[in-house]
Amino acid sequence: MPPTPPSRRPKAPRKRLAPFRRPAPMRLNLTAMIDVVFQLLIYFVVTASFAQGEGVLKARLPGEGRGPVVGPPPPAAELTVRVASVGTYAYRLTLEPGGLAPTSFHELADLLERLKTVYGPDTPVIIQPGHTVRWQHVVNAFNAAVRARYENVAFATANQ
């Protein structure tokens, strides 16, 4: 059999090539992004502090050339509570002026309450702890002054 000419050979079926497809355009996942934004918003709202900063004092200072500002006069007297250590857990209280010696912190509060009528409610109360006194006794003296409704309570340095 004679060879068939190439033009008459049966053609092998060609594979159809898929038409050229463009890649899908990139899209942002807005649902996830909105979720993250709301999570951040909730976090910042919950952790925000709207209180005025500690140590910030509002003050109205006089303008230039207005002269000195006259304020209330300083208190004439002060009450001093001396807290001394007697042994390991015992304490001794002394209230000056007058040398009063209350035996407990409840008695100290009562004395301070009665002295408020003599000295006035704005009288400063100075708590002066001894060198070796327990901190608990100093805090109890402070609490007695607060219980007597004094607002101007301060601590002095420990005396030797």
Side-chain angles (χ1 to χ4, degrees), residues 23-159:
M26 289 181 57
R27 294 184 184 177
L28 292 176
N29 187 354
L30 290 180
T31 304
M33 189 166 59
I34 290 172
D35 286 344
V36 169
V37 168
F38 277 117
Q39 291 289 332
L40 287 172
L41 180 68
I42 290 171
Y43 172 78
F44 288 121
V45 167
V46 169
T47 60
S49 174
F50 297 105
Q52 186 176 13
E54 189 173 326
V56 177
L57 301 175
K58 291 183 180 178
R60 289 181 37 202
L61 299 175
E64 190 174 328
R66 291 192 181 166
V69 175
V70 179
E78 62 185 33
L79 297 173
T80 303
V81 178
R82 288 189 172 83
V83 185
S85 180
V86 181
T88 306
Y89 296 105
Y91 58 90
R92 181 178 60 238
L93 298 172
T94 308
L95 183 59
E96 298 289 341
L100 301 170
T103 57
S104 69
F105 293 106
H106 291 291
E107 189 177 335
L108 174 65
D110 293 340
L111 278 172
L112 288 172
E113 184 70 38
R114 281 186 264 152
L115 288 174
K116 190 191 294 188
T117 59
V118 175
Y119 289 98
D122 295 334
T123 303
V125 176
I126 309 296
I127 299 172
Q128 188 172 23
H131 185 65
T132 59
V133 73
R134 295 175 58 91
W135 182 244
Q136 172 187 2
H137 302 314
V138 177
V139 172
N140 287 338
F142 174 80
N143 289 339
V146 170
R147 195 175 311 123
R149 293 192 178 98
Y150 281 92
E151 293 182 5
N152 190 1
V153 182
F155 294 97
T157 58
N159 54 7

